[in-house]
Amino acid sequence: MNIEVHSSMDAIPVAEWNALISGNYPFLQHAFLRALEKFSCVGAHVGWIPRHLVYSKNNQIMGAMPLYEKHNSWGEFVFDHAWADAYQRYGVEYYPKLVNAIPFTPASGQRILLNSENDKETARLLVAAVNTLVNEGNYSGIHSLFPATKDFAILNQQQAISRNDCQFHWYNQGYTCFEDFLGRLKSKKRKNIKQERRKVADAGVKIRRLDGHTASADDWHDFTALYQKIYDRKYGMPAFNQAFFMEVARAMPDQIQLVLAARDRHCVAGALMYCDDATLYGRHWGAEHYIDSLHFEVCYYQGIELCIEKGLQRFDPGAQGEHKIARGFAPTRTQSLHWMAQSPFTRAIAQFVEREQSGVQRYIDAVSAHSPYNRDD
């Protein structure tokens, strides 16, 4: 029996790691995590330092957890800046901390990898090892971000503080085509979507859907430039780069969906999505300039069509965006877990989260009242 902490995916056997992943979840694939490291999307320079936990028995990996040592709260999408500020004001170190998460990826999914789904002993050993790592490394705590419901139940140990948030996801109700989906909507919402799609077509925009097999180097160059332009304008430094996108497309070609929009043969917008056996994940968007309704077409309607065509059950288009409700997306609860190590603020944080939970539930109830679907649906 052996538990190790690895600072590089290169030290972990590809086939053994991937064998632990459920349903081909894309963001835990060895190739995805390795490309983050290889092309400097993570590392000390951005405050995401790999500390992957691996449990082996008889030279066979039995379980693992993706872990990162964090020296900031950038790219987590579960906001704890107020907690960090409180620590700083009272002269207590909040960083470094550990996160059990996928960098820059607010997509719920597997956070503890087990050789057998019912292997409670391996799960117990991994959780105990994380707690030991927190204490020995003088981390302020461990934060599990966007765990799937099954993993949430495994990781929700004593003393953990549970947080909720809300995203907007689309669910496939056995639709046969996009028109079938539209037919389930209230007439006003259906008419609005048709108008938005017509505006894009009337603007002379042509849409191409590509995967890792069909997207060329020029396509990735165009998309990366558009993606980085959005970050330069709105968010600051982009987390990903063209080399990363091309490497992941090469290694996981069937799990990549690249939607590009062109006008007069010039690429003006694009969206990158990933898929597993059941879900499509919208991840990145970029545009050269504003074209009415183009964002909705590229990021939402093309994704819905892809889900229907591929028989995928759910479309997770990313964080935030109440405007998604009118376009067929439903409020969906997301979760996170937080263990604070010997913190004088544990009780205060727990009280903060308790009030926050009530607010999140009121928000979900409020937006649910604006469902675009006919009452029978």
Side-chain angles (χ1 to χ4, degrees):
M1 185 175 71
N2 189 34
I3 294 179
E4 296 179 308
V5 177
H6 293 288
S7 60
S8 171
M9 289 300 296
D10 284 330
I12 304 172
V14 177
E16 290 187 39
W17 175 278
N18 285 345
L20 305 177
I21 301 171
S22 300
N24 284 317
Y25 182 65
F27 308 117
L28 273 177
Q29 297 293 326
H30 193 285
F32 184 93
L33 297 178
R34 181 178 181 273
L36 289 175
E37 299 170 9
K38 182 178 179 180
F39 299 106
S40 299
C41 302
V42 297
H45 63 295
V46 291
W48 283 85
I49 303 172
R51 295 285 184 262
H52 303 309
L53 193 66
V54 175
Y55 163 55
S56 301
K57 187 176 181 181
N58 299 325
N59 295 318
Q60 175 71 34
I61 295 179
M62 304 299 293
M65 291 179 69
L67 288 178
Y68 291 87
E69 178 182 307
K70 287 300 307 295
H71 291 262
N72 55 48
S73 294
W74 180 44
E76 297 176 18
F77 297 90
V78 176
F79 302 106
D80 60 356
H81 301 91
W83 303 359
D85 289 344
Y87 273 63
Q88 184 178 29
R89 284 197 302 271
Y90 284 87
V92 181
E93 296 293 334
Y94 189 71
Y95 305 107
K97 62 180 180 177
L98 281 179
V99 295
N100 168 223
I102 311 301
F104 313 107
T105 307
S108 297
Q110 197 174 3
R111 294 296 179 265
I112 183 166
L113 288 72
L114 301 173
N115 193 36
S116 170
E117 188 173 314
N118 299 316
D119 190 349
K120 296 180 180 179
E121 179 62 16
T122 294
R124 185 190 66 78
L125 286 169
L126 286 170
V127 171
V130 167
N131 291 328
T132 299
L133 188 60
V134 167
N135 293 327
E136 292 181 351
N138 292 317
Y139 298 108
S140 67
I142 167 73
H143 308 259
S144 183
L145 311 181
F146 300 99
T149 301
K150 176 175 66 67
D151 286 29
F152 182 88
I154 295 171
L155 293 167
N156 192 9
Q157 305 297 310
Q158 191 175 10
Q159 307 302 320
I161 297 172
S162 169
R163 294 182 79 181
N164 291 335
D165 205 342
C166 178
Q167 293 181 350
F168 299 93
H169 297 179
W170 179 88
Y171 296 91
N172 192 344
Q173 303 299 323
Y175 304 121
T176 57
C177 61
F178 196 86
E179 285 296 324
D180 185 19
F181 155 64
L182 289 180
R184 310 287 183 92
L185 301 178
K186 297 173 182 176
S187 60
K188 184 176 179 180
K189 304 301 183 184
R190 180 167 62 248
K191 181 179 179 181
N192 182 65
I193 291 175
K194 289 183 175 181
Q195 286 177 340
E196 289 177 341
R197 304 201 83 180
R198 194 177 305 118
K199 286 177 183 178
V200 174
D202 290 347
V205 175
K206 305 296 183 185
I207 303 293
R208 288 190 298 148
R209 289 192 212 150
L210 307 163
D211 58 21
H213 299 287
T214 56
S216 67
D218 286 342
D219 292 326
W220 288 115
H221 177 270
D222 289 342
F223 171 73
T224 304
L226 294 167
Y227 156 75
Q228 292 180 340
K229 189 170 186 177
I230 287 284
Y231 265 82
D232 290 341
R233 195 162 66 231
K234 287 188 174 183
Y235 309 117
M237 187 177 74
F240 303 98
N241 51 58
Q242 182 177 340
F244 168 83
F245 292 137
M246 292 185 67
E247 175 70 9
V248 171
R250 182 199 63 77
M252 305 159 47
D254 297 320
Q255 293 188 264
I256 297 293
Q257 297 293 328
L258 181 63
V259 180
L260 294 179
R263 185 159 66 176
D264 298 328
R265 298 187 179 181
H266 176 67
C267 191
V268 294
L272 175 59
M273 308 177 191
Y274 296 80
C275 65
D276 58 23
D277 293 347
T279 303
L280 181 69
Y281 304 90
R283 289 301 305 118
H284 307 296
W285 145 264
E288 185 173 80
H289 54 265
Y290 176 77
I291 297 175
D292 194 356
S293 302
L294 184 58
H295 177 263
F296 304 137
E297 177 64 38
V298 172
C299 293
Y300 304 152
Y301 304 145
Q302 289 293 320
I304 290 172
E305 284 191 342
L306 276 165
C307 286
I308 295 171
E309 291 171 10
K310 292 178 173 292
L312 299 176
Q313 299 168 15
R314 182 169 61 99
F315 178 20
D316 168 0
Q320 303 175 344
E322 293 178 2
H323 56 273
K324 296 169 185 170
I325 299 171
R327 293 162 180 88
F329 294 80
T332 301
R333 187 186 309 277
T334 60
Q335 300 172 307
S336 61
L337 286 165
H338 310 265
W339 298 264
M340 312 310 296
Q342 301 178 350
S343 167
F345 301 105
T346 299
R347 184 175 179 182
I349 290 173
Q351 290 172 340
F352 167 87
V353 168
E354 185 177 354
R355 291 192 298 271
E356 181 184 57
Q357 305 287 60
S358 298
V360 169
Q361 186 58 54
R362 287 194 299 272
Y363 176 75
I364 291 175
D365 292 341
V367 296
S368 295
H370 297 279
S371 171
Y373 291 92
N374 289 313
R375 193 162 294 180
D376 292 342
D377 294 307

